[in-house]
Amino acid sequence: MTPGCQVEPRLVEELYINIDPIQAGGRLTGDAIKAVNAYADGYSVCDFCTKPFRLDYIRKPGLDEFHRDLARFVSMDAARVVPGARRGFQAIARTYVEKGDPVLLTSLSHYTEFLAVEESGGVPCEVPAREGNIIMPDAVADTVEEVTRVHQRAPRLMFIEHVDYSYGNVHPVKEIARVLRQYDVMLAYNGAYTVGIMDVDGRDLGADFVVGSGHTSMAAPAPSGILATTSEHQGEVFRTTRVKGDRTGRTFGIKEVEMMGCTLMGSTVIGMMASFPHVQIRVKNFQKECDHANEVALALVSIPGTSIESEMPRKHPLTRVNTTASFDRIAKTHKKKGFFFTTALKERGITGIIPGATRVWKYNTFGLSDRQNSHVATSFRDIAHECGLLQG
Amino acid sequence: MTPGCQVEPRLVEELYINIDPIQAGGRLTGDAIKAVNAYADGYSVCDFCTKPFRLDYIRKPGLDEFHRDLARFVSMDAARVVPGARRGFQAIARTYVEKGDPVLLTSLSHYTEFLAVEESGGVPCEVPAREGNIIMPDAVADTVEEVTRVHQRAPRLMFIEHVDYSYGNVHPVKEIARVLRQYDVMLAYNGAYTVGIMDVDGRDLGADFVVGSGHTSMAAPAPSGILATTSEHQGEVFRTTRVKGDRTGRTFGIKEVEMMGCTLMGSTVIGMMASFPHVQIRVKNFQKECDHANEVALALVSIPGTSIESEMPRKHPLTRVNTTASFDRIAKTHKKKGFFFTTALKERGITGIIPGATRVWKYNTFGLSDRQNSHVATSFRDIAHECGLLQG
């Protein structure tokens, strides 16, 4: 009567050094794994949910304090947990974007921001990145003016990645916020690759909203994330329900419309919470992560024909590299084709790069120890040696 | 440097028989706990995500097959996993409801349906329950006509619970669907308390959409759920993105707008999947669950002054009982007040009733063994004996 578990266990983190570009910051801490175990059941955090019956009021476990800590962590006034950063974008777009409204994104925006704007009926308008793939404040100003001309109305909102998913470049959000303020455009800060990785001071940056991803950068299970805002906007994006049953006269207390009531019951929120003390510490050690990224990047560029497409020196461990004129040259005649490269890495205990990729690919050294990081750097050079790209 | 885990382990399921009304069906299976452990990291199911880069296409682990199985499980044509049933309601409402549109709910609708309608700018119109707290087809017909008169347009959509959260009553969805079809109103079936608990045949019931809750009734971590639909509506509620970067010309493949791209990466979807073989079996044994519910209900009504407010005999294990004229009479003079009752239950190894509740409260016997169930039934009578409500 009892069917067997059909899910093969995953052992990536146990057996390999994982440099997957999107996975590094989401890897659970030991404490999170323990907590997830103890709170795996759906409504586990709801045992002591009493009036006013909302997730961020629960005291045991201390979700109320955790919500306050989260807001403080990004220097905003209020925070909620959400099922992934994308649900944060959605809540913002659904609150402020009406059909036909232009919304500023950038040429490096993640697709989830596009979907959030699309779902709200808005029109995404990209600010183009300048050379070096950086979004510059003057380009933002130009785009605001052009969009206003074309759409006959000013954009009300801009989504901007502090660190983009494509290059891992750091964009001058603070300067962009200053420009936006002049045009009265709100700034939604996409911290999917920053919140939980590096220090984020939303107030100092001038953000109206800070969105973070639990499973990308806060060592938490998926789907999880945060949406934080200022006291000015809190009553808008976290507005409570005003609907009423027309027959019963029922109202629904202080449930928040865009949150759809409670968001992360159980293992997702508890995993976030258990990792949080570690996350608060690791953001302080961010320089080490940059040093690691640079060590690996320099090892890669020392291989003739290899270039780093991300800004150098690296200011974030998510890095994009071009090996079309190095490893891909080898792949062209190798019997394993591009797989020779990922196989060679795997033999050295390294995983996380798209199998077969030898042209433009990404890696992320976040969270590696010094030794692991040196091993990654050395391994790239070793493989280059083996296939004749490096001599001596 | 390493902070301790501040989360106290939860031992409710290990130490007690848990009859919490909302938790019983969400309790994880052993296989789910193991799978959650192995896939706790955020993007763990994404290791082998290749073109077209969407969750329901991933083959290892077999998410593609799981999605097809889910659709078949509820006899619909297509299914997606979503972060909780509420996000399914939201996707439906966002697809079909425009500002000012009347949407049918019922006087027993869950607040998340109200929020979904509110978020879309719709106007919720309740179908009143008839005596015995059942939503009858003729009341649906009357309400459609009245709403059409008042709003000058016909409702396009009705949300209906097959089993409501308040009484655990079974409503005649099939007959209601027949009425709705005459008025060309789509039916969104809320299976938060049925999908994963009892057999649900969406096609036979005449549902246009079937929504289920993973953490309420499918032994899965939160937030999780499913949204299934027919081939007729699949292109609407699961429509793919059409947005385009105005500068870059980027498009975003087959990401689905209402899903916001991928939904449940990692432990949530894997937990659902690992429990699924068990869930498929348990829905076939639903009669046993009803027998258990009736055993406990009959024990309760044998205590003078006690009445079951849910329909009798029980057709679902979620049950609402009124002990105002029995246990609450004792509470009035007891030094522990209402807590005497939940304390007495706890001494007998039973938990899950709101602490202090002695008037109207709910319990759910789902998933108990025969022995556990008899123990619950006996315990209620024992406590009644002890406090003099039962003689002999």
Side-chain angles (χ1 to χ4, degrees), chain B residues 318-329:
Chain B
L318 168 63
T319 302
R320 180 180 177 120
V321 58
N322 189 326
T323 52
T324 310
S326 56
F327 292 119
D328 194 57
R329 261 183 41 219

Side-chain angles (χ1 to χ4, degrees), chain A residues 8 10 28 37 39 41 43 47 94 109 118-119 126 216 222 241-242 246-248 250 258 265, chain B residues 8 10 28 37 39 41 47 94 109 118-119 126 216 222 241-242 246-248 250 258 265:
Chain A
E8 251 182 78
R10 176 182 187 254
L28 261 60
N37 239 304
Y39 283 80
D41 291 323
Y43 290 102
D47 288 336
R94 293 289 310 132
S109 284
E118 184 177 7
E119 205 232 0
E126 294 174 304
T216 311
T241 173
R242 301 212 172 161
D246 61 340
R247 298 276 188 164
T248 56
R250 283 187 291 166
E258 291 302 340
M265 303 77 89
Chain B
E8 253 182 78
R10 175 182 187 255
L28 261 58
N37 238 304
Y39 284 80
D41 291 323
D47 288 337
R94 293 287 310 131
S109 284
E118 182 177 9
E119 205 233 0
E126 294 175 309
T216 310
T241 173
R242 301 212 172 163
D246 62 340
R247 299 276 188 164
T248 56
R250 283 188 290 167
E258 292 302 339
M265 303 77 90

Side-chain angles (χ1 to χ4, degrees), chain A residues 100-271:
Chain A
D101 281 353
V103 178
L104 295 193
L105 300 179
T106 81
S107 60
L108 298 172
S109 284
H110 193 251
Y111 82 87
T112 50
E113 295 167 23
F114 278 89
L115 292 194
V117 173
E118 184 177 7
E119 205 232 0
S120 295
V123 182
C125 303
E126 294 174 304
V127 176
R130 288 292 148 90
E131 213 178 311
N133 297 300
I134 302 285
I135 306 297
M136 296 301 288
D138 60 333
V140 172
D142 291 350
T143 309
V144 172
E145 301 211 347
E146 198 193 317
V147 162
T148 308
R149 222 165 26 240
V150 172
H151 289 264
Q152 306 275 336
R153 48 180 150 176
R156 210 175 153 196
L157 176 68
M158 174 171 191
F159 286 94
I160 172 117
E161 271 88 350
H162 194 177
V163 167
D164 69 87
Y165 76 99
S166 234
Y167 294 91
N169 287 351
V170 179
H171 303 279
V173 170
K174 192 170 176 173
E175 292 69 27
I176 290 170
R178 226 175 268 140
V179 168
L180 290 177
R181 212 166 306 125
Q182 287 167 23
Y183 292 98
D184 212 17
V185 179
M186 292 182 294
L187 188 150
Y189 171 101
N190 179 346
Y193 285 96
T194 58
V195 175
I197 300 289
M198 53 194 256
D199 247 329
V200 172
D201 186 323
R203 188 179 315 278
D204 180 60
L205 290 167
D208 293 284
F209 309 95
V210 170
V211 179
S213 171
H215 52 267
T216 311
S217 297
M218 301 176 77
S224 64
I226 75 160
L227 168 58
T229 189
T230 60
S231 51
E232 189 190 344
H233 299 301
Q234 148 171 39
E236 298 156 5
V237 73
F238 299 144
R239 69 192 177 282
T240 53
T241 173
R242 301 212 172 161
V243 82
K244 195 172 174 173
D246 61 340
R247 298 276 188 164
T248 56
R250 283 187 291 166
T251 53
F252 305 95
I254 57 162
K255 303 285 191 187
E256 292 165 342
V257 181
E258 291 302 340
M259 300 298 105
M260 298 293 297
C262 302
T263 52
L264 304 184
M265 303 77 89
S267 53
T268 40
V269 72
I270 214 81

